[in-house]
Amino acid sequence: MNPTEDALTLNPSGRQPTRILLVEDNPAHARLMMHAMREDRLRNPVHHVGDGEEALEFLRRSGRYAQAGAAPRPDLVLLDLRLPGMSGLEVLRTIKSDDDLSTIPVVVLTSSGDPDDVTRAYSFRANSYVAKPLDFERFRAIVRELDFYWSLVNRVPQTH
């Protein structure tokens, strides 16, 4: 799936918008998350990929993302655990063990509330773990809260 990007605008804090990489294989969940973010006044650019291998290509700017400008470095990765092929936990472990990528915050956003998944995600240095609620309105509210926190409240290291 080709990445999509919202308009790049300054957010109310004066900071550049948070560039988000959404790693989600369920098209309905991806559309819902991107719709909730677009409704948010922050207007963060969101790139969407559908599996773990594509996420790593995007992050490493390789394969289909090797062309200059095809994959801007994200400020935040929203990562589903249940992905086809390479699992979200494998993607997380790879990101956090790569010196060039390890400082990018990764929020696990998944339907799994399994305590073992939570433990494994944090052992691989996830920055946060959020279980997707089944209720549509609560899901939308959580996406907005994540967007607000990671865009306006949290601070990340400057990249070169």
Side-chain angles (χ1 to χ4, degrees):
M1 188 173 289
N2 290 333
T4 57
E5 185 170 341
D6 247 353
L8 185 64
T9 59
L10 285 177
N11 65 36
S13 72
R15 290 172 48 193
Q16 286 294 320
T18 300
R19 292 177 308 268
I20 299 170
L21 176 61
L22 171 61
V23 185
E24 171 62 66
D25 66 316
N26 183 319
H29 286 181
R31 279 191 304 275
L32 176 62
M33 290 168 58
M34 292 191 320
H35 177 72
M37 288 180 205
R38 273 193 297 273
E39 287 181 349
D40 190 343
R41 69 186 185 287
L42 301 177
R43 307 288 294 173
N44 294 318
V46 178
H47 293 268
H48 171 235
V49 298
D51 63 51
E53 290 86 1
E54 187 177 0
L56 292 177
E57 281 184 9
F58 186 96
L59 291 165
R60 291 175 173 154
R61 298 176 180 135
S62 64
R64 67 194 102 179
Y65 298 102
Q67 184 178 358
R73 182 181 173 94
D75 301 303
L76 174 65
V77 174
L78 297 177
L79 177 64
D80 189 15
L81 290 186
R82 306 288 185 254
L83 298 170
M86 178 183 278
S87 76
L89 287 172
E90 292 174 84
V91 173
L92 174 63
R93 181 177 17 192
T94 302
I95 291 170
K96 293 301 184 175
S97 65
D98 184 314
D99 289 340
D100 293 330
L101 303 175
S102 64
T103 59
I104 301 172
V106 178
V107 174
V108 173
L109 183 61
T110 186
S111 56
S112 173
D114 182 342
D116 289 338
D117 284 341
V118 175
T119 300
R120 280 191 295 261
Y122 279 110
S123 75
F124 294 149
R125 298 187 299 162
N127 296 88
S128 185
Y129 190 104
V130 179
K132 297 176 195 171
L134 297 176
D135 176 71
F136 171 78
E137 288 303 319
R138 184 67 189 132
F139 180 74
R140 199 163 88 185
I142 284 175
V143 170
R144 285 185 177 152
E145 290 167 13
L146 283 170
D147 194 17
F148 178 79
Y149 174 78
W150 289 100
S151 297
L152 291 177
V153 178
N154 188 61
R155 296 287 184 252
V156 295
Q158 294 294 317
T159 58
H160 302 289

